[in-house]
Amino acid sequence: MSFSWLRFATIVPIAVYSTVIGREIVLSLIDTGETGLIIPVIGYVTVISLMGWTAIMSGNATVITGGILFVISDSILAWNKFIDVIAFSGPLIMLTYYASQFFVADSIRSVPSFGLANDLKNDTPIQ
């Protein structure tokens, strides 16, 4: 599979998911008369979707896991706030949020940026 097909294959499900979630939230905002939040919500859904796609495209399993968990956390939060109450939403949101943060932070160990970590290992401490 070529790289362009990989991009297409990953962005389509994310775009469909984001469109469905975004549409439901926008319809709920219209129903409740909170139309001033429509543009910010669309912007936020777009940013979170791009973050999820970027995490997947990184190819790093730890980053992918963290990115997907973050999208899940924000989806539960948004659905619970704007559409309908979700049972146990508080624990579900926090569990997925903190797990996502752990995986994203842990990914730094698995793939050091620009070889900086390797350079630091070889340095002798300043005395």
Side-chain angles (χ1 to χ4, degrees), residues 1-12 57:
M1 182 179 336
S2 74
F3 191 70
S4 61
W5 278 108
L6 178 61
R7 285 187 210 181
F8 181 76
T10 56
I11 204 159
V12 169
M57 292 307 295

Short mmCIF file of all heavy atoms in Angstrom, two decimals, residues 1-12 57:
data_model
loop_
_atom_site.label_atom_id
_atom_site.label_comp_id
_atom_site.label_asym_id
_atom_site.label_seq_id
_atom_site.Cartn_x
_atom_site.Cartn_y
_atom_site.Cartn_z
N MET A 1 0.85 -1.17 0.00
CA MET A 1 0.00 0.00 0.00
C MET A 1 0.90 1.24 0.00
O MET A 1 1.79 1.36 0.80
CB MET A 1 -0.89 -0.03 1.26
CG MET A 1 -1.82 1.14 1.29
SD MET A 1 -3.00 1.37 2.63
CE MET A 1 -3.33 -0.15 3.37
N SER A 2 0.63 2.14 -0.91
CA SER A 2 1.46 3.34 -0.98
C SER A 2 1.09 4.30 0.15
O SER A 2 0.03 4.21 0.75
CB SER A 2 1.29 4.03 -2.33
OG SER A 2 0.04 4.66 -2.40
N PHE A 3 1.99 5.23 0.41
CA PHE A 3 1.79 6.18 1.51
C PHE A 3 0.54 7.01 1.31
O PHE A 3 -0.19 7.28 2.25
CB PHE A 3 3.03 7.07 1.64
CG PHE A 3 3.02 7.88 2.89
CD1 PHE A 3 3.20 7.28 4.13
CD2 PHE A 3 2.82 9.24 2.85
CE1 PHE A 3 3.20 8.02 5.29
CE2 PHE A 3 2.81 10.01 4.01
CZ PHE A 3 3.00 9.39 5.22
N SER A 4 0.22 7.42 0.09
CA SER A 4 -0.97 8.22 -0.15
C SER A 4 -2.24 7.42 0.14
O SER A 4 -3.21 7.96 0.64
CB SER A 4 -0.99 8.78 -1.56
OG SER A 4 -1.01 7.72 -2.50
N TRP A 5 -2.24 6.12 -0.18
CA TRP A 5 -3.40 5.29 0.14
C TRP A 5 -3.53 5.11 1.64
O TRP A 5 -4.63 5.05 2.17
CB TRP A 5 -3.30 3.92 -0.54
CG TRP A 5 -3.77 4.00 -1.96
CD1 TRP A 5 -2.99 3.94 -3.08
CD2 TRP A 5 -5.10 4.20 -2.41
NE1 TRP A 5 -3.77 4.09 -4.19
CE2 TRP A 5 -5.09 4.24 -3.82
CE3 TRP A 5 -6.32 4.33 -1.76
CZ2 TRP A 5 -6.22 4.42 -4.58
CZ3 TRP A 5 -7.47 4.51 -2.52
CH2 TRP A 5 -7.41 4.56 -3.90
N LEU A 6 -2.41 5.04 2.33
CA LEU A 6 -2.44 4.92 3.79
C LEU A 6 -3.07 6.17 4.40
O LEU A 6 -3.90 6.09 5.29
CB LEU A 6 -1.03 4.71 4.35
CG LEU A 6 -0.90 4.62 5.86
CD1 LEU A 6 -1.70 3.42 6.38
CD2 LEU A 6 0.55 4.49 6.26
N ARG A 7 -2.69 7.33 3.90
CA ARG A 7 -3.30 8.57 4.38
C ARG A 7 -4.79 8.57 4.15
O ARG A 7 -5.58 8.90 5.03
CB ARG A 7 -2.70 9.78 3.67
CG ARG A 7 -1.34 10.16 4.12
CD ARG A 7 -0.95 11.45 3.48
NE ARG A 7 0.49 11.48 3.31
CZ ARG A 7 1.15 12.48 2.81
NH1 ARG A 7 0.51 13.53 2.37
NH2 ARG A 7 2.44 12.43 2.71
N PHE A 8 -5.19 8.20 2.94
CA PHE A 8 -6.60 8.17 2.59
C PHE A 8 -7.36 7.17 3.46
O PHE A 8 -8.44 7.46 3.97
CB PHE A 8 -6.77 7.81 1.10
CG PHE A 8 -8.19 7.79 0.65
CD1 PHE A 8 -8.87 8.97 0.43
CD2 PHE A 8 -8.85 6.58 0.45
CE1 PHE A 8 -10.19 8.97 0.00
CE2 PHE A 8 -10.17 6.56 0.03
CZ PHE A 8 -10.84 7.76 -0.19
N ALA A 9 -6.76 5.98 3.65
CA ALA A 9 -7.42 4.94 4.43
C ALA A 9 -7.58 5.32 5.90
O ALA A 9 -8.50 4.85 6.56
CB ALA A 9 -6.64 3.63 4.32
N THR A 10 -6.72 6.17 6.41
CA THR A 10 -6.85 6.57 7.81
C THR A 10 -7.70 7.82 7.97
O THR A 10 -8.38 7.96 8.98
CB THR A 10 -5.47 6.83 8.46
OG1 THR A 10 -4.78 7.80 7.70
CG2 THR A 10 -4.67 5.57 8.58
N ILE A 11 -7.68 8.69 7.01
CA ILE A 11 -8.42 9.94 7.19
C ILE A 11 -9.92 9.77 6.96
O ILE A 11 -10.72 10.46 7.58
CB ILE A 11 -7.85 11.09 6.33
CG1 ILE A 11 -8.23 12.42 6.95
CG2 ILE A 11 -8.32 11.00 4.89
CD1 ILE A 11 -7.36 13.56 6.54
N VAL A 12 -10.33 8.83 6.11
CA VAL A 12 -11.75 8.65 5.84
C VAL A 12 -12.53 8.24 7.09
O VAL A 12 -13.53 8.88 7.43
CB VAL A 12 -11.98 7.67 4.66
CG1 VAL A 12 -13.44 7.28 4.55
CG2 VAL A 12 -11.49 8.30 3.37
N MET A 57 -0.81 8.59 12.02
CA MET A 57 0.20 8.68 10.97
C MET A 57 1.62 8.62 11.52
O MET A 57 2.57 8.38 10.77
CB MET A 57 0.01 9.95 10.14
CG MET A 57 -1.27 9.94 9.30
SD MET A 57 -1.45 8.47 8.26
CE MET A 57 -0.09 8.68 7.14
#
